[in-house]
């Protein structure tokens, strides 16, 4: 019961700070004495801070404002992408305090080598965090691959990296500090929910080298029976279409994936920079092949999302990752397909929207996972 009450009090302050102890008691329905005891424990655990007393103009003792601590406990998020590594430290307020990104090609390289470099970046991020007075309480790694349920630390396959059956701890310099892997699309969806809370049931679809989707149902991530839910990139949109690397034909990735759009736009061999920025630049300049390629991708994406809407009945759809940055040119054709094909249930165009987080979502979601766990169970923190 005390653990639950600690979470209730910390959650109230996290959502509504600044609050006095009396304010918290009024919001959560506990006695002032009980709240005071809980607040003292949360301060001792480093989760809350309390400002000096200030006059409020009300009768009685001046209130002291409670807030979630910006020092002490924090979450470390890591990301391994096909073309980059990332690290992020977020404090208990949900604010990013450290943000590191290294551009490098990871596809086809030995998993151990890539993970050793990720560990070095994690150590750099942790050192910066500690210099800011932060203490890392958990580590989560975003990967573009399948992380099965109930098998701790395993990335079963990450086709765009060339990984299969990789156990993170086996390649981490300090196995005890190895991060918990999670699918990048899942983390992007959770970050979206925690950041914006647009609706409680939605589909989040994102793209970089591949296409991933995640389902949030009544505020909870739906992983499927084995952790394979969300493989929207391999939903067939044209059954007789081109062969896909997964072994099937006509998958969405062959029409709306990054490489497919670059090929269609005539930009597949265009330098080694950021392909999403290149597509946005060309589309913004009115480059007709790029505009046609994005329209084609939008129609294919609309086909796949129409099936998702009919099957899941979500309140909304969110375009994340690279799709968020290309939304100006994707949305018209996606919305046209949804309007034409979602006919059994009502569907409003505004139910489809781009994410404000864009490509930052998975890394933020990785760091925020630890923060959300602590807010849900403050006893995870040791008391001073």
């Amino acid at each position: 019961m005390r653990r639950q009450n600690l979470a209730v009090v910390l959650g109230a302050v996290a959502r509504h700070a600044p609050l006095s102890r009396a304010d918290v008691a009024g919001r959560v329905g506990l006695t002032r004495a009980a709240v005071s005891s809980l607040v003292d424990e949360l301060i001792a655990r480093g989760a809350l801070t309390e400002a000096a007393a200030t006059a409020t103009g009300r009768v009685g003792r001046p209130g002291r404002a409670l807030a979630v601590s910006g020092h002490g406990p924090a979450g470390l998020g890591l990301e391994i992408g096909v073309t980059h590594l990332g690290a992020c430290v977020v404090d208990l307020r949900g604010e990013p305090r450290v943000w590191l990104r290294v551009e490098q090609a990871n596809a086809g390289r030995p998993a151990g080598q890539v993970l050793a470099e990720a560990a070095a970046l994690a150590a750099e991020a942790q050192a910066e965090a500690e210099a800011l007075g932060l203490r890392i309480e958990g580590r989560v790694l975003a990967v573009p691959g399948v992380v099965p349920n109930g098998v701790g630390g395993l990335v079963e396959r990450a086709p765009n990296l060339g990984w299969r059956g990789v156990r993170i701890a086996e390649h981490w310099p300090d196995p005890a500090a190895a991060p918990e892997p999670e699918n990048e699309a899942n983390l992007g969806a959770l970050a979206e929910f925690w950041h914006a809370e647009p609706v409680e049931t939605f589909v989040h679809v994102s793209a970089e080298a591949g296409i991933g989707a995640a389902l949030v149902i009544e505020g909870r991530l739906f992983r499927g029976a084995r952790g394979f839910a969300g493989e929207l990139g391999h939903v067939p949109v044209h059954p007789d279409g081109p062969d896909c690397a997964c072994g099937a034909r006509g998958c969405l990735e062959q029409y709306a994936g990054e490489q497919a759009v670059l090929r269609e736009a005539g930009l597949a061999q265009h330098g080694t920079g950021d392909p999403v920025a290149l597509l946005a630049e060309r589309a913004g300049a009115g480059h007709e092949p790029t505009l046609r390629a994005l329209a084609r991708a939008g129609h294919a994406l609309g086909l796949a999302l129409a099936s998702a809407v009919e099957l899941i009945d979500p309140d909304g759809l969110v375009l994340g990752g690279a799709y968020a940055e290309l939304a100006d040119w994707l949305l018209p054709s996606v919305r046209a397909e949804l309007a034409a094909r979602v006919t059994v249930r009502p569907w409003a165009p505004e139910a489809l929207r781009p994410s404000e987080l864009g490509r930052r979502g998975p890394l933020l979601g990785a760091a925020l996972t630890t923060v959300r766990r602590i807010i849900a169970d403050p006893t995870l923190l040791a008391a001073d």
Side-chain angles (χ1 to χ4, degrees), residues 40-137:
D40 287 341
E41 181 172 341
L42 290 168
I43 291 173
R45 292 180 183 274
L48 291 181
T49 60
E50 191 169 34
T54 57
T56 63
R58 293 180 293 185
V59 175
R61 198 182 312 175
R64 302 177 66 187
L66 294 166
V68 174
S69 177
H71 294 84
L76 172 60
L78 300 165
E79 182 178 18
I80 295 176
V82 174
T83 60
H84 72 278
L85 297 175
C88 171
V89 177
V90 170
D91 63 27
L92 280 191
R93 300 171 301 182
E95 295 184 10
R97 304 288 296 279
V98 177
W99 191 279
L100 303 175
R101 182 179 169 104
V102 177
E103 303 297 330
Q104 68 176 44
N106 295 317
R109 297 173 60 213
Q113 184 178 357
V114 175
L115 286 166
E117 292 166 357
L121 192 65
E124 182 180 348
Q126 180 165 339
E128 290 193 22
E130 289 172 351
L132 295 171
L134 297 170
R135 180 179 71 251
I136 302 303
E137 295 287 346

Side-chain angles (χ1 to χ4, degrees), residues 262-326:
L262 289 170
R263 284 195 305 270
E264 184 75 10
L267 303 174
Q269 306 302 320
H270 192 88
T272 58
D274 183 343
V276 178
L278 175 63
L279 287 167
E281 176 190 344
R282 292 300 179 91
H287 184 241
E288 285 298 331
T290 301
L291 293 173
R292 286 195 299 270
L294 289 170
R296 176 178 181 259
H299 283 296
L301 185 56
L303 282 171
L305 288 176
S307 297
V309 169
E310 298 288 18
L311 182 64
I312 301 163
D313 188 28
D315 294 315
L317 302 172
V318 180
L319 298 186
Y323 285 155
E325 297 179 29
L326 299 171

Side-chain angles (χ1 to χ4, degrees), residues 107-201:
R109 297 173 60 213
Q113 184 178 357
V114 175
L115 286 166
E117 292 166 357
L121 192 65
E124 182 180 348
Q126 180 165 339
E128 290 193 22
E130 289 172 351
L132 295 171
L134 297 170
R135 180 179 71 251
I136 302 303
E137 295 287 346
R139 301 162 180 81
V140 176
L141 171 66
V143 291
V146 175
V147 179
N149 294 341
V151 185
L154 174 67
V155 179
E156 183 162 312
R157 62 181 180 86
N160 289 316
L161 291 175
W163 292 9
R164 183 174 290 275
V166 174
R167 293 186 179 275
I168 303 301
E170 292 179 0
H171 302 281
W172 208 258
D174 178 7
E180 170 192 350
E182 178 57 280
N183 174 265
E184 62 171 357
N186 287 345
L187 291 170
L190 288 172
E192 183 68 24
F193 181 67
W194 294 330
H195 173 77
E197 295 188 7
V199 288
E200 288 202 334
T201 298

Side-chain angles (χ1 to χ4, degrees), residues 211-298:
I211 297 174
L215 315 178
V216 175
I217 299 177
E218 296 182 350
R220 299 174 65 88
L221 180 69
F222 177 75
R223 297 179 53 86
R226 297 175 180 83
F228 285 65
E231 289 293 324
L232 192 72
H234 298 293
V235 168
V237 291
H238 296 293
D240 297 325
D243 292 339
C244 181
C246 74
R249 298 183 63 184
C251 295
L252 177 62
E253 281 191 7
Q254 299 306 306
Y255 297 90
E258 182 180 282
Q259 290 303 311
V261 177
L262 289 170
R263 284 195 305 270
E264 184 75 10
L267 303 174
Q269 306 302 320
H270 192 88
T272 58
D274 183 343
V276 178
L278 175 63
L279 287 167
E281 176 190 344
R282 292 300 179 91
H287 184 241
E288 285 298 331
T290 301
L291 293 173
R292 286 195 299 270
L294 289 170
R296 176 178 181 259

